[in-house]
Amino acid sequence: MTHSKDNVTLAIILSLVALLLFDVMGLIIKYLLPRYSAAELSAYRNFFGIFPSLIALWSSSGWHAGGRVLRIRQWKLGLARGFIVTFAQFLFYFSLGTMAFATATTITYANAIFMTALAIPLLGERVGLIRWSAVLIGFVGVMMVMNPTSDSFSTAAFAPLGAAFLYALAGVTARRMDPDVPSPLINLYSVAAALIGSLSLAIYAGGFSTLASMSDLFWIIAMGSCGGTAVLLLVVSYRMTEQSNLAPFNYFGIPIAFAAGWLVYGETPFEDLFPGAFLIIGGGLLVIWRERQVKRSILRGVQPPPN
């Protein structure tokens, strides 16, 4: 499948806008956390995220061409991914209330590292020296950001790391779905299951708090809309071009998160983030580079070595 230069450029722009919206969502969550639990905010996020997911599905030509079928063969796996996302969201949202915004966000970028490791047992992929080196580089970066030897270290730092693992698990299992199932339909299953899971988690954790003000209602709607719209933009961008064209730009989210936390909350965790963040980015980019090299070898008809 070929993609025009204009389409690739537009897809990159849309993915960057999605990153910005995710950060706006995170900033709002951090603002609301003193009054509402992470489980509650996760439920609100998924409720309002249903609507962009429905728009994405309705806009999918592949879904219409396939007869607008809603049931999929691997429906259990589709729903399981959503329940995984439930706990990933909870851990990440919880971390936003206990850590600097940029620090928590940066640690979640370890998901690329986990995806490489999980691809071995779940997808049967062979991982060679280059990608294992990338995993090691990224892991060292994560440890530097978490800084477990410092006096200020808290076990709460494991929350965004757990979120990164679960997001990676959801990402890898998506690659086990039948290739003929439209991505927006897979996403809808995930969001629907995440909504059920987050509602159950919120009720189990004590129920929903009374809205403190109409202003909070506005921010909750804005939070859910930003998250849902961001996912919609990512779905659209990944349909416009190959994932390898967009993946390197995901790491722009780290400086965006740093700037957002500084501008909104006055947080400047520069010493916590660097140089660890550079190693996380470097490890992720090395994985992306190696995957592109392997794909080019396959397209040329050359059997690549373990990657």
Side-chain angles (χ1 to χ4, degrees):
M1 184 177 180
T2 59
H3 305 276
S4 71
K5 184 176 180 180
D6 289 343
N7 279 350
V8 173
T9 301
L10 180 57
I12 291 171
I13 292 173
L14 291 178
S15 67
L16 291 176
V17 172
L19 286 177
L20 180 60
L21 288 175
F22 277 130
D23 279 341
V24 172
M25 179 193 74
L27 291 170
I28 296 173
I29 289 171
K30 190 173 181 68
Y31 167 74
L32 293 170
L33 274 171
R35 298 179 295 284
Y36 309 96
S37 70
E40 290 176 85
L41 295 177
S42 177
Y44 288 132
R45 152 70 181 89
N46 291 313
F47 174 77
F48 290 105
I50 281 284
F51 302 105
S53 298
L54 290 171
I55 294 172
L57 181 62
W58 188 258
S59 304
S60 171
S61 57
W63 181 65
H64 287 284
R68 301 176 185 173
V69 177
L70 290 176
R71 181 178 174 84
I72 60 177
R73 185 183 68 85
Q74 298 167 296
W75 62 271
K76 292 181 180 179
L77 179 58
L79 294 178
R81 291 184 63 252
F83 293 127
I84 292 170
V85 170
T86 295
F87 292 99
Q89 287 177 338
F90 174 78
L91 289 174
F92 177 52
Y93 296 1
F94 171 79
S95 71
L96 291 177
T98 59
M99 304 174 65
F101 178 76
T103 304
T105 301
T106 298
I107 293 174
T108 62
Y109 277 85
N111 67 336
I113 301 167
F114 287 126
M115 286 186 74
T116 299
L118 288 170
I120 301 172
L122 296 181
L123 301 178
E125 290 187 4
R126 295 184 301 163
V127 176
L129 179 61
I130 293 178
R131 285 210 287 175
W132 274 126
S133 298
V135 169
L136 179 60
I137 291 170
F139 180 75
V140 171
V142 170
M143 289 298 100
M144 292 178 71
V145 173
M146 293 176 64
N147 196 8
T149 60
S150 70
D151 294 335
S152 60
F153 174 75
S154 168
T155 54
F158 287 105
L161 189 63
F165 174 80
L166 292 173
Y167 279 129
L169 182 59
V172 170
T173 52
R175 292 164 60 183
R176 298 198 56 159
M177 301 292 289
D178 292 334
D180 59 333
V181 180
S183 296
L185 183 56
I186 295 174
N187 179 61
L188 182 62
Y189 268 76
S190 176
V191 174
L195 174 59
I196 295 171
S198 55
L199 282 172
S200 302
L201 188 61
I203 293 171
Y204 176 79
F208 287 84
S209 306
T210 303
L211 285 175
S213 66
M214 291 303 295
S215 173
D216 279 1
L217 176 60
F218 166 79
W219 288 117
I220 287 172
I221 294 173
M223 176 265 295
S225 300
C226 284
T229 303
V231 171
L232 173 58
L233 291 179
L234 284 181
V235 170
V236 172
S237 64
Y238 278 107
R239 289 176 61 202
M240 295 176 69
T241 187
E242 296 174 358
Q243 180 176 346
S244 59
N245 290 330
L246 298 177
F249 294 91
N250 287 342
Y251 291 98
F252 276 89
I254 292 178
I256 291 174
F258 182 86
W262 172 53
L263 291 172
V264 177
Y265 292 108
E267 299 171 342
T268 55
F270 193 86
E271 293 182 357
D272 293 337
L273 289 181
F274 303 102
F278 290 130
L279 294 180
I280 295 173
I281 294 172
L285 292 178
L286 184 56
V287 168
I288 294 164
W289 173 81
R290 183 54 181 164
E291 289 179 346
R292 295 186 73 164
Q293 292 294 107
V294 170
K295 186 172 183 178
R296 287 172 182 169
S297 297
I298 295 173
L299 290 175
R300 291 197 303 265
V302 178
Q303 179 63 36
N307 54 359

